[in-house]
Each structure stands twice: as structure tokens, then as C-alpha cells.
Amino acid sequence: MAKHLHELIVFSEEFSLINSPAFYDCVVHLICTEGTGSFRYNDKVFSLSKNDIAVISRPRLVTEILADEHFRCEYIAAPDKFLHNLLPANNYAIQGCVSLFDNPIIKVSEPDAENFLTDLCNIRNRIDNTDHHFYKELMGSLLQTMVYDLFDFHAKTNDNILTTDRVGYITAQFFSLIEAGRPKTQREVSHYAKELHVTPKYLSDTIKRVTGHSISSHINTAASSIIIEYLKDNRLSITQIADEMNFTSVSYFSRYCTKHIGMSPAQFRLAGAKS
């Protein structure tokens, strides 16, 4: 049964729950108000202290959540699809989202932190006003204010992130293909270049310039996540997974796993069985 919008927007102060399965289709917008904490995201560890904001677009990638006894935070988790339609109507939204995926932490001033806390408070106070005749629009306007503030905070320390409209379009389309799960069977740069009607060199240079990382690293990171989920399912044999993901042989699949997830498929499953 489909959930209503008010059931999908969540306000919380429970830091340990930021990677809850309930948030897998959401973006978490968090601010640390006291103490220090940390978490691993996209294979990197990020630290939080007072007035640090974290924008986590893929909560399922969060692990190793740690905090000291003084740590306090507030956050809103809201549906990614709903938020997508609220993003600023300019090219910064694309580059900002990409940059925040690479580094979700925004360090802000005391006044900006107060503004963000006000945004969260306004959303929290109206989440349950479901009898409002324009509830969706109301929540949309409050979330949009928060989003605009976040991009303003981010832009203050990322002056060079804006690029041309073409670069923004190509970057957005590339990540749309990644998000759609294309790396499950397609891991060659040439495939994405053909889909986007550009040369492999242009695409590679564009993604590297915008994100700071090679296009192959993005493709392989996404493919590795898919592999890990498959390997966790013991109903599937390693041969079946290799076939499903369009690897030419089991040995090539094994070498790929060793390179990109740090162990062979068999080693991964053995480690999982021992844990």
C-alpha cells in the first residue's frame, strides 16, 4: 500500500538510525548541534561537530555510525523523488548534488546553522497538518526553502562548482544511468558515451572535472554495490551472479571482485558466514 506524504517525511534526533531501511528512498538532512560523531559513507569516513550539516542522498551506503556521549543532532528525512522536483531551477543543483555525494558535509557559520535549524523546525511543526487543503504544496514550499538554504551554504565554500549547461546536462544524464542500475551489465565508458552521444574522452573529462573522480570509479563503485547485494543472497551461485551481470567468465568476475571489493566472491561469502 502506498504511503501518504506525511508518513514519508520524518523528523528525528536519533543519529544511529540515519541508515534505517525506512530512509532508503529518502535524503537525510542533518545538523550536529553538540558533541562529535562520524559515519562511513561511500567508502569514506566523515566527521561531524557542532554546526556541521550532512546531506546524505543514499542512506543505504551509511555504515559505522559513531558518536560521543555529548553528541546531539536533528534531521529531516524526505522522499528523494519529491525533493527532486523542488531543486533550484539552475545548473548548480546538478553539480551540487554530485559534489555532496562525494562529500556530504557542509561546514556552516553560526547564523547559517540557526537558519537551518529554523528550516527544520518549520517542517517538523507542519508535518502533521494533514488537514491542510494544500498539504503537499505546503510541505513542498517548506522543504524547498531548506533546499535553497543548503545550496546557498554549499555554494559559499564551492565557488567553482558551477559549469556550463551542457556539462550539467551530461553529468545529470550519466548519473541517471548509474542510478538506473546500468552498471549491472555495462561497465565500459564507451557504452555511456554512446548513450549520451558524446565521445568517451569528452565524457571522461567532464565527469572527472565535475566530481574530481574518474568515470570508471563511479561505474565500478555502483557495480560493486550490486555485486555485494547479490553475494549476500546465498540462493544465487557465483556462476549465476557472473552470468546475470554479464561477465564473460567466472574467473574474470572473481578478478573484478578482488580488485573492486577487496576479496573474491568466495572469500566474501566465507567472511559473511563467519560474521
Side-chain angles (χ1 to χ4, degrees):
M1 181 181 296
K3 290 187 176 181
H4 296 291
L5 181 61
H6 74 277
E7 298 176 288
L8 298 173
I9 301 173
V10 177
F11 173 84
S12 179
E13 298 176 348
E14 297 292 331
F15 185 51
S16 62
L17 298 181
I18 59 173
N19 62 350
S20 167
F23 299 155
Y24 281 2
D25 294 322
C26 294
V27 180
V28 172
H29 309 82
L30 175 150
I31 184 168
C32 172
T33 56
E34 188 178 348
T36 59
S38 66
F39 59 90
R40 182 177 289 276
Y41 180 61
N42 195 25
D43 291 328
K44 301 176 187 175
V45 175
F46 296 96
S47 299
L48 287 162
S49 56
K50 185 177 180 180
N51 293 342
D52 286 348
I53 293 172
V55 181
I56 304 169
S57 60
R58 300 181 199 175
R60 69 173 66 237
L61 299 182
V62 172
T63 59
E64 300 177 25
I65 302 169
L66 301 171
D68 66 24
E69 59 180 332
H70 304 294
F71 185 84
R72 299 290 183 274
C73 72
E74 296 182 17
Y75 62 88
I76 289 285
D80 183 43
K81 288 183 179 179
F82 186 66
L83 289 168
H84 181 74
N85 294 325
L86 306 176
L87 291 177
N90 57 55
N91 199 50
Y92 190 89
I94 297 169
Q95 319 308 340
C97 286
V98 171
S99 178
L100 283 168
F101 176 66
D102 184 56
N103 180 2
I105 306 300
I106 308 173
K107 295 185 176 296
V108 302
S109 65
E110 187 73 33
D112 284 345
E114 291 177 3
N115 285 336
F116 185 67
L117 285 168
T118 298
D119 291 339
L120 296 186
C121 181
N122 290 337
I123 295 168
R124 178 189 62 198
N125 289 342
R126 305 303 296 270
I127 287 176
D128 294 327
N129 291 166
T130 54
D131 57 345
H132 196 291
H133 283 81
F134 303 97
Y135 179 76
K136 181 178 179 180
E137 290 78 8
L138 170 68
M139 296 309 300
S141 68
L142 294 174
L143 286 164
Q144 187 179 58
T145 297
M146 179 189 72
V147 169
Y148 271 102
D149 278 343
L150 284 169
F151 276 103
D152 176 62
F153 303 156
H154 190 253
K156 290 175 181 177
T157 53
N158 293 271
D159 293 335
N160 297 322
I161 199 169
L162 287 172
T163 57
T164 67
D165 287 340
R166 176 170 171 76
V167 167
Y169 174 80
I170 292 298
T171 302
Q173 293 302 305
F174 168 71
F175 279 100
S176 291
L177 293 173
I178 294 294
E179 288 288 334
R182 195 65 67 90
K184 174 183 174 182
T185 57
Q186 302 292 340
R187 292 169 291 276
E188 297 297 326
V189 175
S190 58
H191 167 80
Y192 296 89
K194 183 177 180 180
E195 286 287 304
L196 300 175
H197 307 292
V198 295
T199 66
K201 185 179 187 308
Y202 177 86
L203 183 59
S204 296
D205 290 348
T206 296
I207 299 302
K208 176 68 173 180
R209 186 166 68 253
V210 171
T211 70
H213 298 280
S214 72
I215 186 172
S216 294
S217 69
H218 291 292
I219 296 170
N220 291 326
T221 295
S224 296
S225 296
I226 296 171
I227 289 171
I228 288 171
E229 290 304 311
Y230 272 135
L231 289 174
K232 289 178 179 178
D233 186 350
N234 289 318
R235 295 172 299 178
L236 296 172
S237 70
I238 291 173
T239 299
Q240 286 175 312
I241 297 171
D243 289 341
E244 183 72 15
M245 295 191 67
N246 201 31
F247 283 92
T248 54
S249 67
V250 174
S251 61
Y252 174 43
F253 175 57
S254 182
R255 292 195 301 274
Y256 186 93
C257 290
T258 300
K259 180 177 180 180
H260 296 292
I261 67 174
M263 61 185 77
S264 71
Q267 290 171 329
F268 181 91
R269 283 190 160 168
L270 181 61
K274 290 180 177 178
S275 62

